[in-house]
Amino acid sequence: MDTANKLIDKLLFTEGDDIEQLTREEFVQLTEHDRAYYLRGEGPIFALYETVRAMRDAQARERRYPSPTETALMQASSARRS
């Protein structure tokens, strides 16, 4: 949750010229990333989070980029959640 807190701090408490703008899509992606990483539970949304987490873990373990199929699946699951 540390990342989400830093993001909220940036949005609420940054003053002067140090403002960092996020697009709606960037905000949604950051929020979904944190939800997928930190939340646990039961139901279809958590099954999607677990699937994406397993793919990312495999990519990290194998030191590779996502395949086109994995990328499409992650983008489709992100679209379903938002």
Side-chain angles (χ1 to χ4, degrees):
M1 204 61 98
D2 187 42
T3 302
N5 289 339
K6 287 180 185 176
L7 180 60
I8 291 169
D9 287 346
K10 279 185 187 181
L11 293 172
L12 296 177
F13 303 114
T14 301
E15 296 179 12
D17 294 333
D18 295 334
I19 296 172
E20 182 177 328
Q21 292 184 341
L22 297 173
T23 65
R24 180 184 185 282
E25 183 61 25
E26 289 171 327
F27 180 79
V28 168
Q29 290 300 320
L30 286 170
T31 302
E32 284 300 318
H33 174 271
D34 285 349
R35 284 181 182 170
Y37 186 79
Y38 293 106
L39 292 180
R40 299 292 184 266
E42 296 179 18
I45 191 69
F46 295 102
L48 282 174
Y49 288 147
E50 185 58 37
T51 300
V52 171
R53 188 179 310 113
M55 284 190 295
R56 288 191 176 139
D57 288 348
Q59 293 159 16
R61 200 173 42 254
E62 298 165 9
R63 296 182 178 190
R64 62 176 177 83
Y65 291 106
S67 71
T69 303
E70 290 170 328
T71 300
L73 181 59
M74 285 188 274
Q75 288 174 343
S77 69
S78 178
R80 286 185 203 132
R81 293 187 309 250
S82 51

